[in-house]
Amino acid sequence: MYQATIDLTDCKYLMELHERIKTGLNLEEGYGRNMDAFWDEINRNIKCDFITVKGSKTVSKDLKGTVEKMHKILERNKQSWAHSDCPFDYEFVD
């Protein structure tokens, strides 16, 4: 099982959040730094079957909506792979 961790602890800015996603998932420089690109990466490109997101409750107020979108995308990915030979799961740890 390949696991990855995205640490959002005290993240203040949108581009900083996407840089942390890029680092945590070990993504290429071409990562689009938006939620559509995040979906594409976790659904199609990475070989990760478990993602831990840390510190989501400590992000700035401006990023709360983006973190909610991230949660929805992770859940959608979990559901889309649920009945496959390669199930995916995630957790938020704060």
Side-chain angles (χ1 to χ4, degrees), residues 61-91:
K61 196 187 294 186
D62 293 339
L63 294 178
K64 297 290 185 187
T66 303
V67 171
E68 287 176 25
K69 286 179 190 173
M70 178 187 243
H71 187 269
K72 288 178 183 177
I73 288 169
L74 288 166
E75 182 61 28
R76 189 169 102 198
N77 194 57
K78 178 180 177 177
Q79 296 306 317
S80 78
W81 288 98
H83 302 291
S84 75
D85 292 336
C86 305
F88 169 83
D89 206 354
Y90 67 96
E91 68 179 344

Side-chain angles (χ1 to χ4, degrees), residues 33-47:
R33 293 174 175 81
N34 60 63
M35 286 292 110
D36 289 335
F38 176 66
W39 164 255
D40 289 343
E41 292 293 340
I42 66 165
N43 189 48
R44 298 183 193 137
N45 298 333
I46 64 169
K47 305 275 190 265

Side-chain angles (χ1 to χ4, degrees), residues 9-22:
T9 304
D10 296 324
C11 188
K12 293 181 178 24
Y13 307 104
L14 185 59
M15 287 300 111
E16 177 186 7
L17 180 137
H18 283 289
E19 188 61 31
R20 291 182 186 205
I21 289 171
K22 181 180 162 291

Side-chain angles (χ1 to χ4, degrees), residues 26-37:
N26 197 28
L27 302 178
E28 301 287 327
E29 279 303 315
Y31 169 62
R33 293 174 175 81
N34 60 63
M35 286 292 110
D36 289 335

